Amino acid sequence: MDLVDEQLQNSKTIAVVGLSGDPERTSFRVTRYMQQQGYRIIPVNPMVDEVLGEKAYPDLKSVPEPIDMVNVFRRSELVPPVIEQAIEVGVKYIWMQDGVINDEWAAKAEAAGVPVIQND
């Protein structure tokens, strides 16, 4: 089983950092699809109150329940605090989407035991 399949099969709750409420944005379309497939979605974006019928949180540390996967839709240079918080709250997996690449912080997550997927 590759890492993508492993992440998707072993995750039920996915926090989506940078989830936009705009239906035209990739983050919205991908997340809506994941929600339709039965995943519990938690929006993480300080600029919105709710997305796809779910309460949004300003950051990962504010989410009041365990998170299996963090799906990152942020610019590559904004990844460090996201990964830092993901490690801190004990997520199982990190998936950086849509051209989000940060090798240094991906390596830090891996060193902390959190597998990372980067899409380029």
Side-chain angles (χ1 to χ4, degrees), residues 5-30:
D5 290 337
E6 178 186 330
Q7 283 198 16
L8 293 174
Q9 287 182 10
N10 294 327
S11 296
K12 303 259 183 284
T13 302
I14 302 173
V16 185
V17 177
L19 177 55
S20 171
D22 180 352
E24 299 300 314
R25 299 295 300 260
T26 302
S27 65
F28 185 92
R29 291 193 313 271
V30 168

mmCIF file of all heavy atoms in Angstrom, residues 5-30:
data_model
loop_
_atom_site.group_PDB
_atom_site.id
_atom_site.type_symbol
_atom_site.label_atom_id
_atom_site.label_comp_id
_atom_site.label_asym_id
_atom_site.label_seq_id
_atom_site.Cartn_x
_atom_site.Cartn_y
_atom_site.Cartn_z
ATOM 1 N N ASP A 5 -2.714 5.823 -0.264
ATOM 2 C CA ASP A 5 -3.760 4.880 0.146
ATOM 3 C C ASP A 5 -3.784 4.706 1.657
ATOM 4 O O ASP A 5 -4.854 4.656 2.269
ATOM 5 C CB ASP A 5 -3.542 3.516 -0.527
ATOM 6 C CG ASP A 5 -3.815 3.551 -2.021
ATOM 7 O OD1 ASP A 5 -4.556 4.443 -2.474
ATOM 8 O OD2 ASP A 5 -3.270 2.688 -2.730
ATOM 9 N N GLU A 6 -2.604 4.604 2.258
ATOM 10 C CA GLU A 6 -2.519 4.448 3.713
ATOM 11 C C GLU A 6 -3.176 5.620 4.423
ATOM 12 O O GLU A 6 -3.979 5.443 5.349
ATOM 13 C CB GLU A 6 -1.055 4.327 4.156
ATOM 14 C CG GLU A 6 -0.890 4.206 5.656
ATOM 15 C CD GLU A 6 0.560 4.234 6.100
ATOM 16 O OE1 GLU A 6 1.444 3.788 5.342
ATOM 17 O OE2 GLU A 6 0.813 4.723 7.210
ATOM 18 N N GLN A 7 -2.845 6.847 3.981
ATOM 19 C CA GLN A 7 -3.423 8.031 4.625
ATOM 20 C C GLN A 7 -4.942 8.034 4.501
ATOM 21 O O GLN A 7 -5.652 8.293 5.462
ATOM 22 C CB GLN A 7 -2.854 9.319 4.013
ATOM 23 C CG GLN A 7 -1.466 9.643 4.488
ATOM 24 C CD GLN A 7 -1.092 11.092 4.246
ATOM 25 O OE1 GLN A 7 -1.935 11.935 4.001
ATOM 26 N NE2 GLN A 7 0.182 11.389 4.324
ATOM 27 N N LEU A 8 -5.433 7.745 3.304
ATOM 28 C CA LEU A 8 -6.877 7.808 3.081
ATOM 29 C C LEU A 8 -7.617 6.696 3.820
ATOM 30 O O LEU A 8 -8.705 6.921 4.356
ATOM 31 C CB LEU A 8 -7.175 7.760 1.582
ATOM 32 C CG LEU A 8 -6.704 8.983 0.803
ATOM 33 C CD1 LEU A 8 -6.899 8.786 -0.687
ATOM 34 C CD2 LEU A 8 -7.409 10.253 1.269
ATOM 35 N N GLN A 9 -7.035 5.511 3.900
ATOM 36 C CA GLN A 9 -7.702 4.403 4.581
ATOM 37 C C GLN A 9 -7.663 4.536 6.097
ATOM 38 O O GLN A 9 -8.558 4.062 6.783
ATOM 39 C CB GLN A 9 -7.078 3.069 4.162
ATOM 40 C CG GLN A 9 -7.444 2.670 2.759
ATOM 41 C CD GLN A 9 -6.872 1.322 2.360
ATOM 42 O OE1 GLN A 9 -6.352 0.585 3.178
ATOM 43 N NE2 GLN A 9 -6.961 1.008 1.079
ATOM 44 N N ASN A 10 -6.628 5.168 6.619
ATOM 45 C CA ASN A 10 -6.457 5.260 8.075
ATOM 46 C C ASN A 10 -6.912 6.593 8.657
ATOM 47 O O ASN A 10 -6.666 6.864 9.824
ATOM 48 C CB ASN A 10 -4.999 4.997 8.453
ATOM 49 C CG ASN A 10 -4.599 3.568 8.141
ATOM 50 O OD1 ASN A 10 -5.408 2.653 8.223
ATOM 51 N ND2 ASN A 10 -3.361 3.375 7.763
ATOM 52 N N SER A 11 -7.542 7.416 7.845
ATOM 53 C CA SER A 11 -8.004 8.721 8.317
ATOM 54 C C SER A 11 -9.521 8.800 8.238
ATOM 55 O O SER A 11 -10.114 8.413 7.230
ATOM 56 C CB SER A 11 -7.392 9.845 7.463
ATOM 57 O OG SER A 11 -6.000 9.864 7.609
ATOM 58 N N LYS A 12 -10.102 9.297 9.298
ATOM 59 C CA LYS A 12 -11.548 9.543 9.318
ATOM 60 C C LYS A 12 -11.822 11.041 9.486
ATOM 61 O O LYS A 12 -12.769 11.562 8.927
ATOM 62 C CB LYS A 12 -12.197 8.795 10.482
ATOM 63 C CG LYS A 12 -11.960 7.294 10.464
ATOM 64 C CD LYS A 12 -13.160 6.568 9.943
ATOM 65 C CE LYS A 12 -13.003 5.066 9.973
ATOM 66 N NZ LYS A 12 -12.163 4.517 8.948
ATOM 67 N N THR A 13 -10.956 11.715 10.267
ATOM 68 C CA THR A 13 -11.125 13.137 10.545
ATOM 69 C C THR A 13 -9.974 13.900 9.907
ATOM 70 O O THR A 13 -8.807 13.640 10.200
ATOM 71 C CB THR A 13 -11.141 13.389 12.066
ATOM 72 O OG1 THR A 13 -12.200 12.610 12.636
ATOM 73 C CG2 THR A 13 -11.354 14.852 12.379
ATOM 74 N N ILE A 14 -10.334 14.841 9.021
ATOM 75 C CA ILE A 14 -9.334 15.592 8.273
ATOM 76 C C ILE A 14 -9.511 17.081 8.538
ATOM 77 O O ILE A 14 -10.566 17.645 8.262
ATOM 78 C CB ILE A 14 -9.444 15.326 6.759
ATOM 79 C CG1 ILE A 14 -9.293 13.818 6.479
ATOM 80 C CG2 ILE A 14 -8.413 16.145 5.982
ATOM 81 C CD1 ILE A 14 -9.553 13.423 5.031
ATOM 82 N N ALA A 15 -8.475 17.701 9.100
ATOM 83 C CA ALA A 15 -8.462 19.151 9.272
ATOM 84 C C ALA A 15 -7.878 19.752 7.997
ATOM 85 O O ALA A 15 -6.806 19.343 7.550
ATOM 86 C CB ALA A 15 -7.626 19.546 10.477
ATOM 87 N N VAL A 16 -8.589 20.700 7.408
ATOM 88 C CA VAL A 16 -8.159 21.308 6.148
ATOM 89 C C VAL A 16 -7.726 22.742 6.425
ATOM 90 O O VAL A 16 -8.552 23.623 6.655
ATOM 91 C CB VAL A 16 -9.271 21.255 5.084
ATOM 92 C CG1 VAL A 16 -8.755 21.792 3.753
ATOM 93 C CG2 VAL A 16 -9.788 19.826 4.920
ATOM 94 N N VAL A 17 -6.400 22.952 6.429
ATOM 95 C CA VAL A 17 -5.838 24.262 6.718
ATOM 96 C C VAL A 17 -5.840 25.092 5.435
ATOM 97 O O VAL A 17 -5.278 24.686 4.424
ATOM 98 C CB VAL A 17 -4.407 24.141 7.276
ATOM 99 C CG1 VAL A 17 -3.811 25.521 7.514
ATOM 100 C CG2 VAL A 17 -4.408 23.324 8.563
ATOM 101 N N GLY A 18 -6.504 26.252 5.506
ATOM 102 C CA GLY A 18 -6.602 27.119 4.340
ATOM 103 C C GLY A 18 -7.845 26.842 3.516
ATOM 104 O O GLY A 18 -7.945 27.283 2.371
ATOM 105 N N LEU A 19 -8.814 26.128 4.082
ATOM 106 C CA LEU A 19 -10.053 25.827 3.361
ATOM 107 C C LEU A 19 -10.827 27.115 3.114
ATOM 108 O O LEU A 19 -11.149 27.847 4.042
ATOM 109 C CB LEU A 19 -10.903 24.840 4.162
ATOM 110 C CG LEU A 19 -12.268 24.490 3.566
ATOM 111 C CD1 LEU A 19 -12.146 23.962 2.148
ATOM 112 C CD2 LEU A 19 -12.985 23.491 4.463
ATOM 113 N N SER A 20 -11.110 27.374 1.854
ATOM 114 C CA SER A 20 -11.858 28.559 1.451
ATOM 115 C C SER A 20 -13.342 28.228 1.359
ATOM 116 O O SER A 20 -13.715 27.107 1.023
ATOM 117 C CB SER A 20 -11.362 29.028 0.077
ATOM 118 O OG SER A 20 -12.197 30.048 -0.430
ATOM 119 N N GLY A 21 -14.172 29.215 1.618
ATOM 120 C CA GLY A 21 -15.607 29.070 1.435
ATOM 121 C C GLY A 21 -16.041 29.333 0.010
ATOM 122 O O GLY A 21 -17.220 29.220 -0.318
ATOM 123 N N ASP A 22 -15.102 29.652 -0.871
ATOM 124 C CA ASP A 22 -15.383 29.956 -2.276
ATOM 125 C C ASP A 22 -15.452 28.656 -3.078
ATOM 126 O O ASP A 22 -14.441 27.965 -3.220
ATOM 127 C CB ASP A 22 -14.281 30.862 -2.818
ATOM 128 C CG ASP A 22 -14.472 31.232 -4.285
ATOM 129 O OD1 ASP A 22 -15.367 30.679 -4.953
ATOM 130 O OD2 ASP A 22 -13.709 32.085 -4.762
ATOM 131 N N PRO A 23 -16.624 28.307 -3.629
ATOM 132 C CA PRO A 23 -16.775 27.055 -4.373
ATOM 133 C C PRO A 23 -15.864 26.941 -5.595
ATOM 134 O O PRO A 23 -15.678 25.848 -6.122
ATOM 135 C CB PRO A 23 -18.248 27.057 -4.801
ATOM 136 C CG PRO A 23 -18.926 28.021 -3.904
ATOM 137 C CD PRO A 23 -17.893 29.032 -3.507
ATOM 138 N N GLU A 24 -15.293 28.053 -6.047
ATOM 139 C CA GLU A 24 -14.394 28.025 -7.205
ATOM 140 C C GLU A 24 -12.969 27.633 -6.817
ATOM 141 O O GLU A 24 -12.154 27.303 -7.686
ATOM 142 C CB GLU A 24 -14.377 29.398 -7.893
ATOM 143 C CG GLU A 24 -15.726 29.824 -8.415
ATOM 144 C CD GLU A 24 -16.304 28.851 -9.441
ATOM 145 O OE1 GLU A 24 -15.564 28.437 -10.352
ATOM 146 O OE2 GLU A 24 -17.491 28.482 -9.307
ATOM 147 N N ARG A 25 -12.653 27.673 -5.541
ATOM 148 C CA ARG A 25 -11.288 27.369 -5.095
ATOM 149 C C ARG A 25 -11.069 25.861 -5.025
ATOM 150 O O ARG A 25 -11.958 25.097 -4.667
ATOM 151 C CB ARG A 25 -11.015 27.979 -3.702
ATOM 152 C CG ARG A 25 -11.130 29.490 -3.613
ATOM 153 C CD ARG A 25 -10.076 30.228 -4.438
ATOM 154 N NE ARG A 25 -8.724 29.921 -4.036
ATOM 155 C CZ ARG A 25 -7.972 30.684 -3.253
ATOM 156 N NH1 ARG A 25 -8.443 31.793 -2.761
ATOM 157 N NH2 ARG A 25 -6.749 30.308 -2.966
ATOM 158 N N THR A 26 -9.841 25.455 -5.338
ATOM 159 C CA THR A 26 -9.483 24.041 -5.304
ATOM 160 C C THR A 26 -9.713 23.454 -3.915
ATOM 161 O O THR A 26 -10.212 22.334 -3.787
ATOM 162 C CB THR A 26 -8.016 23.853 -5.728
ATOM 163 O OG1 THR A 26 -7.856 24.388 -7.040
ATOM 164 C CG2 THR A 26 -7.617 22.393 -5.722
ATOM 165 N N SER A 27 -9.353 24.202 -2.872
ATOM 166 C CA SER A 27 -9.510 23.674 -1.511
ATOM 167 C C SER A 27 -10.967 23.312 -1.234
ATOM 168 O O SER A 27 -11.253 22.284 -0.619
ATOM 169 C CB SER A 27 -8.998 24.673 -0.470
ATOM 170 O OG SER A 27 -9.774 25.854 -0.470
ATOM 171 N N PHE A 28 -11.883 24.133 -1.704
ATOM 172 C CA PHE A 28 -13.308 23.875 -1.484
ATOM 173 C C PHE A 28 -13.755 22.634 -2.244
ATOM 174 O O PHE A 28 -14.408 21.746 -1.684
ATOM 175 C CB PHE A 28 -14.139 25.094 -1.918
ATOM 176 C CG PHE A 28 -15.606 24.960 -1.625
ATOM 177 C CD1 PHE A 28 -16.136 25.432 -0.439
ATOM 178 C CD2 PHE A 28 -16.467 24.358 -2.540
ATOM 179 C CE1 PHE A 28 -17.497 25.318 -0.166
ATOM 180 C CE2 PHE A 28 -17.824 24.228 -2.273
ATOM 181 C CZ PHE A 28 -18.333 24.710 -1.079
ATOM 182 N N ARG A 29 -13.374 22.548 -3.524
ATOM 183 C CA ARG A 29 -13.825 21.426 -4.358
ATOM 184 C C ARG A 29 -13.275 20.088 -3.853
ATOM 185 O O ARG A 29 -14.012 19.100 -3.743
ATOM 186 C CB ARG A 29 -13.432 21.665 -5.817
ATOM 187 C CG ARG A 29 -14.203 22.814 -6.457
ATOM 188 C CD ARG A 29 -14.063 22.883 -7.962
ATOM 189 N NE ARG A 29 -12.709 22.754 -8.444
ATOM 190 C CZ ARG A 29 -11.849 23.753 -8.627
ATOM 191 N NH1 ARG A 29 -12.220 24.989 -8.355
ATOM 192 N NH2 ARG A 29 -10.633 23.533 -9.089
ATOM 193 N N VAL A 30 -11.976 20.052 -3.536
ATOM 194 C CA VAL A 30 -11.366 18.817 -3.036
ATOM 195 C C VAL A 30 -11.998 18.412 -1.705
ATOM 196 O O VAL A 30 -12.337 17.248 -1.486
ATOM 197 C CB VAL A 30 -9.834 18.981 -2.890
ATOM 198 C CG1 VAL A 30 -9.224 17.834 -2.106
ATOM 199 C CG2 VAL A 30 -9.181 19.107 -4.260
#
